[in-house]
Amino acid sequence: VNDNPSHYKITLSGIVKSPKINFQPPFLMLMPVPLDVKTKTAISIIPQGYLRQSRIQVKLPELELEDGDWICPFSVQFPNGQHITLSSDGTNKELICLISFRSSRPVSLLENISFIDEEEN
């Protein structure tokens, strides 16, 4: 550097941490209700490692009934928004998600609800 023929070698190392989300509670069991009555509950989505804002999308399961009809008995709402944001202390803010179930037909199921960020994680 500055006309000095000495060579300098710099070694950099680091760990790449992929962002992730955790849920509280980690699984959800909704109580049986009469037909066409809504049941709902709230879950906390706890993002970790997001360095920039990202929006959470939800993929809800569709169910095929015995007669061939398809229904989507679940719905979700984010009362405070779906964006993962970074706090001033460098942590991600928790999101609240309301999950509802209503069906006019009798169903019993075990399904996954997928939460996906903008980068398809």
Side-chain angles (χ1 to χ4, degrees), residues 2 5 9 12 19 22 43 48 51 63 69-70 84 86-87 94 98 101 105 112 120:
N2 295 337
K9 182 178 180 180
L12 301 174
N22 292 313
I43 63 167
Q48 296 175 324
L51 302 177
L63 310 172
D69 285 347
W70 286 85
I84 296 173
L86 198 60
S87 298
E94 181 178 295
L98 302 176
F101 175 89
R105 309 272 293 275
N112 291 318
E120 302 291 321

Side-chain angles (χ1 to χ4, degrees), residues 6 8 15-17 26 33 41-42 49-50 52-53 63 67-68 71 81 86-88 92 94 98 101-102 108 111 120:
S6 299
Y8 294 93
I15 299 173
V16 176
K17 291 186 177 183
V33 292
T41 192
Y50 283 85
R52 61 179 177 262
Q53 182 172 296
L63 310 172
D67 62 3
I71 62 169
L86 198 60
S87 298
S88 59
N92 298 123
E94 181 178 295
L98 302 176
F101 175 89
R102 175 186 283 173
S108 177
E111 288 290 333
E120 302 291 321

Side-chain angles (χ1 to χ4, degrees), residues 95-111:
L95 300 173
I96 300 298
C97 179
L98 302 176
I99 300 177
S100 302
F101 175 89
R102 175 186 283 173
S103 177
S104 59
R105 309 272 293 275
V107 293
S108 177
L109 57 112
L110 175 63
E111 288 290 333

